[in-house]
Amino acid sequence: MPETYRRLETQLVHAGEPSPRIEGAVEMPIFQSATYTYAGETRYDDVRYLRSNNTPSQLALHAKLAVLEGAEAALVSASGMATISTTLLALLSAGDHLLAQSCLYGGTHDLVTSEFPNLGRSASFIDATRPESWAAQLRPSTRAIYVEAMTNPLLEVADLRAVVAFARAHGLLAIIDNTFASPVNFRPIPAGFDLSIHSATKYLNGHSDIVAGAVSGSTRLIERIRHKANLLGGALDPHAAFLFKRGLKTLALRVRFQNDSALRVATFLAGHARVKRVHYPGLASHPQHARARELFAGCGGVLSFELHGGVSDAEDFAARVRIPAIAPSLGGVHTLLTRPATTSHAGLTREERLQRGISDGLLRLSVGIEATEDLLEDFAQALR
Ligand code: PLP
């Protein structure tokens, strides 16, 4: 990579792009070809084929992501869940055990609770904010510890430094789903994690027009994951790769704006008489506010909140707001609003949700890139 690509904003635009430019094209064309002519490859994984994750649209993304993450290598896939399932199946063999944070993204939680037993793997859940409780869950077969940068929907911030130190002390791989932070707010590999995973559907692409996933880490680990990916088959299509890479170029602009806008929205909501509680690590009232300030450059666009009037007020609010789309997902340019009890956490029983602090009336907001003043005016009229 040229020396001049020193800072994130420049790397987002230029790192990994073909040099010299293909036919002078300023933007890399889409390589919509499933297969490529044989050039003497000797290993199956090296034969150039879309499912092998080694074609030009995929390779350019791998190179760009590795630079952004400060990693040796990266691998993209067809969704965040394709990356998560492939990574865990590649690195844990039958008989192996995983320590996982207790409040994981629903799909990941389902994977390790319902699918792992069928596949001979097991997992135990830890309270990631209490490092002193982790050792009791270790087994001789424990191979990795898996956490998320901020949990959904309460934005809990684990003791990420302690996760890295614990993994080192016990010979485990430290894996983080960094979706909620993005490399703009937190770079896990320089912080000591072995692997950084993203649902690229969220901030990395940022436009709610594709699903994609990515994992970054050492060449050795990424090659193991790529081999498994070639067998499981969740490869990213070149057209989606193009949209992913195009979206990445504005990542820093979008996420920094979202950091500021979400903090202003959170502050507004926290001061409103009809709002009971706001969960956002950027607010001084958040239990891990000090840790978030130490670890992250910003806290991202997602926050959650409860109204005094419970479910009926929450539904009323969702019906009255005009800018947000009532839709799952997060991290994109559109502001999105959901009620986790009926969407992301509908798979849990009410008791399980309440145990995790997710009340029926909790609303989750993903602040997009609309004018903050328009959002504030919209929320003020909806609350009136
Ligand atoms: N990880 C987190 C933190 C998520 O929020 C999501 C999706 O919401 C995923 C992983 C799964 O990603 P995808 O929907 O791209 O498969």
Side-chain angles (χ1 to χ4, degrees), residues 79-81 84 105 148 152 177 179-180 199 201-202 211-212 330:
S79 69
M81 280 313 299
I84 292 166
Y105 165 67
E148 294 180 356
N152 177 21
D177 179 333
T179 301
F180 270 60
S199 165
T201 313
K202 313 298 193 282
V211 287
L330 58 101

Side-chain angles (χ1 to χ4, degrees), residues 128-273:
T129 61
R130 292 182 51 238
E132 67 281 5
S133 65
W134 303 344
Q137 304 271 30
L138 276 174
R139 298 183 192 167
S141 57
T142 309
R143 298 282 170 265
I145 180 165
Y146 185 103
V147 294
E148 294 180 356
M150 281 172 257
T151 63
N152 177 21
L154 298 178
L155 290 308
E156 194 177 272
V157 183
D159 191 341
L160 300 180
R161 293 209 176 100
V163 171
V164 168
F166 185 83
R168 293 251 166 86
H170 297 282
L172 311 178
L173 290 173
I175 309 174
I176 184 168
D177 179 333
N178 197 38
T179 301
F180 270 60
S182 92
V184 177
N185 287 334
F186 183 57
R187 299 212 312 159
I189 304 295
F193 280 88
D194 295 290
L195 290 169
S196 167
I197 285 176
H198 288 272
S199 165
T201 313
K202 313 298 193 282
Y203 291 103
L204 297 191
N205 163 263
H207 290 71
S208 299
D209 52 12
I210 58 161
V211 287
V215 57
S216 309
S218 66
T219 305
R220 185 180 63 83
L221 289 177
I222 296 298
E223 271 306 299
R224 269 174 73 185
I225 299 166
R226 188 169 78 89
H227 178 69
K228 186 68 85 181
N230 297 353
L231 301 179
L232 296 180
L236 188 68
D237 175 81
H239 190 249
F242 171 82
L243 291 173
F244 181 170
K245 192 156 71 62
R246 183 168 76 163
L248 261 180
K249 292 184 175 170
T250 55
L251 181 74
L253 296 177
R254 288 186 281 107
V255 172
R256 289 193 187 123
F257 182 88
Q258 287 168 299
N259 286 342
D260 292 344
S261 195
L263 179 58
R264 286 181 62 195
V265 170
T267 306
F268 164 80
L269 290 172
H272 199 285

Side-chain angles (χ1 to χ4, degrees), residues 69-85:
E69 295 269 36
E72 283 176 3
L75 178 76
V76 292
S77 72
S79 69
M81 280 313 299
T83 292
I84 292 166
S85 53

Side-chain angles (χ1 to χ4, degrees), residues 300-340:
V302 180
L303 58 106
S304 59
F305 61 100
E306 289 162 73
L307 301 177
H308 284 295
V311 178
S312 69
D313 267 21
E315 287 192 336
D316 216 28
F317 179 81
R320 281 166 199 271
V321 286
R322 295 184 188 128
I323 296 176
I326 311 304
S329 202
L330 58 101
V333 294
H334 315 81
T335 293
L336 303 177
L337 182 71
T338 57
R339 189 154 69 81

